Amino acid sequence: QVRLAESGGGLVQPGGSLRLSCAASGTIFSIQTMGWYRQAPGKQRDLVASITTGGSTTYADSVKGRFTVSRDNAKNTVYLQMNGLKPEDTAVYYCNTAPRYYSTYWGQGTQVTVSS
């Protein structure tokens, strides 16, 4: 059974930074591209960053140059370093496989709020 657990969210001022973590259990991590998604109130859940097992990364235009995704295959963990945060980055952040996600894999997510 696959479980994904996100952590590291919080309240931060505009321009601040946060580092999110996603710990994965099960056998998917070592063979799958992993992604970070976010969902703001009233909006759909969107993919913002992904990383292949070999470390190749892709980013949504809205976060390019500010967010960095990384992974530690030995720890079954994927990270999202978020710098230069903006109010529009406020959302619940989730991890899952990418670009195709599995609905049964969604965790609780971690809330990121950017506000002064």
Side-chain angles (χ1 to χ4, degrees):
Q1 185 177 0
V2 174
R3 293 184 182 273
L4 299 172
E6 302 90 352
S7 62
L11 173 63
V12 64
Q13 293 186 342
S17 298
L18 284 172
R19 189 193 193 207
L20 307 183
S21 299
C22 170
S25 63
T27 60
I28 65 161
F29 190 86
S30 63
I31 60 173
Q32 289 280 5
T33 295
M34 297 297 296
W36 282 97
Y37 300 75
R38 69 184 181 187
Q39 186 169 22
K43 295 188 177 181
Q44 66 181 19
R45 193 172 300 185
D46 293 325
L47 177 65
V48 297
S50 63
I51 184 167
T52 68
T53 54
S56 296
T57 58
T58 58
Y59 299 93
D61 288 343
S62 59
V63 306
K64 201 171 293 183
R66 300 187 297 121
F67 290 10
T68 302
V69 60
S70 61
R71 66 192 292 164
D72 185 334
N73 291 331
K75 295 182 178 180
N76 280 7
T77 302
V78 61
Y79 305 97
L80 186 66
Q81 178 67 43
M82 305 186 296
N83 299 328
L85 283 162
K86 304 176 181 180
E88 52 264 44
D89 295 318
T90 295
V92 180
Y93 284 72
Y94 303 86
C95 63
N96 206 315
T97 55
R100 177 177 179 265
Y101 61 80
Y102 291 89
S103 58
T104 56
Y105 292 178
W106 294 118
Q108 295 299 308
T110 186
Q111 175 71 48
V112 171
T113 302
V114 185
S115 175
S116 55

